[in-house]
Amino acid sequence: MSPGNRRRLAAAVSLLWGFLTAAAVVADGPGPVTVQIEAPERPDLVEVRVEGLPAALVRSAFEENDWGRLLWVGAVDPEAEGFGSATSGTGTFGTPDLEAAVASTTSERQPLLGRYRVEGDLLVFRPRFPVAPGLVVVARVDGHRLGDPSARLTASYRVPEPERSPSTRVEAVYPSADVVPSNLLRLYVHFSAPMAARGVLDHVRLEDGDGEPVPLAFVEVGEGLWDPGRTRLTLFVHPGRVKRGVGPNVAMGPVLREGEEVRLVIDVGALDAFGVPLAAVFERRYRVGPADRRSPDPGAWGLVAPACGRDSLEVRLDAPADRALLERMPAVLDAGGQPVAGSVEIADGERTWRFVPDVPWRPGPHVLEVPAALEDPSGNRVDGLFEAEPGQPRGDPGPRRLDFEIPPQR
């Protein structure tokens, strides 16, 4: 098949499958060598096709297993590289940007892993894995191997970003109760999908009863305080306005004032991990109650022990606990002191903790162990207050142990 027919066939397949190609044809190089990047199956599964290479050169690369020096293929992030002329979605770079992208090829950049094959007068490279959307695949044939170091044998192809409609939402905010203490320290915002790490706090605000933003409401952390999956954002109420007698509290007063109503607002400008805005504005209203200045007291908790099988252990707390800590801190131990595997459910405004074992309970004594570091939503720990009096020592740093018994099975 002639080069012209091959290009026409590629164009027809491109139209059928909706893929884009980026090609560089050497006009002043050693012969009609063409470097072309195609995506015949889907946009992130690319193929690099080099046509017109001397047969002896291809045979030498085959015998020496030296394909990478003949044809280098890599991927660059246009945002990280600062290529100002890169366009969003699809397209190729201008010559200066492309040259900058491949200037250090084999010496400084890691090539893409993949497989080389020969089809007649074609050398074909296919990456082992799909290329991430937004990255630019760059291919370069070594002009030195062709006897013309000045030859510009390069091509680029930007993997398009998928078109997405807004779908990510705020699923829940904790504390889940309608009334929060005036010295509340933390809120947790749960999203339905991973979020972008940066800029989220620009779209989060706390409003007072008149709809006015509360200044200096939260601690501003550059990329936000996220869990590893970036679906849970922790908002710290500014501690300088929570603690009495310190500068911001004296100058501005507390963020939350007893008897008032506030509204947490997260607008659609917050972006998910794909750069797509939220599907809807989120609002959550709270009434502000009295300050909580008591430590959690596991000794005052009520335990409803399971009877048999995989019945749940139910614990009724004396006051709400910090949601995230309550999910992971209490541990159930068997008679030998080994952790019992299971899942946790939290309900009733973080006042009820249930534990369901993965396998049926074994009869005998068990222990619910509560670390002294467990906190309530105001930052008060089991072993001490968040806003302790000067010189006030902390309590026993050891865990609190609540015993219960699994009766013999009939």
Side-chain angles (χ1 to χ4, degrees), residues 82-95:
F83 295 149
S85 65
T87 57
S88 61
T90 59
T92 61
F93 289 135
T95 300

Side-chain angles (χ1 to χ4, degrees), residues 46-130:
V46 301
E47 269 192 358
V48 179
R49 303 168 71 86
V50 183
E51 185 177 11
L53 288 171
L57 186 58
V58 173
R59 183 168 58 252
S60 172
F62 175 78
E63 293 173 350
E64 299 175 11
N65 194 24
D66 196 20
W67 300 111
R69 286 188 57 196
L70 177 59
L71 171 63
W72 183 93
V73 182
V76 295
D77 181 347
E79 293 186 6
E81 300 294 339
F83 295 149
S85 65
T87 57
S88 61
T90 59
T92 61
F93 289 135
T95 300
D97 289 328
L98 182 57
E99 290 180 353
V102 299
S104 58
T105 56
T106 56
S107 61
E108 296 182 11
R109 299 183 183 277
Q110 291 296 320
L112 291 173
L113 298 176
R115 178 174 176 267
Y116 294 86
R117 70 178 189 274
V118 178
E119 299 177 358
D121 62 344
L122 286 176
L123 172 60
V124 181
F125 171 84
R126 184 157 190 169
R128 182 179 299 177
F129 306 105

Side-chain angles (χ1 to χ4, degrees), residues 28-30 140-154:
D28 57 352
R140 184 183 197 182
V141 172
D142 185 359
H144 289 83
R145 303 292 294 272
L146 298 172
D148 183 359
S150 66
R152 294 176 178 175
L153 298 157
T154 56

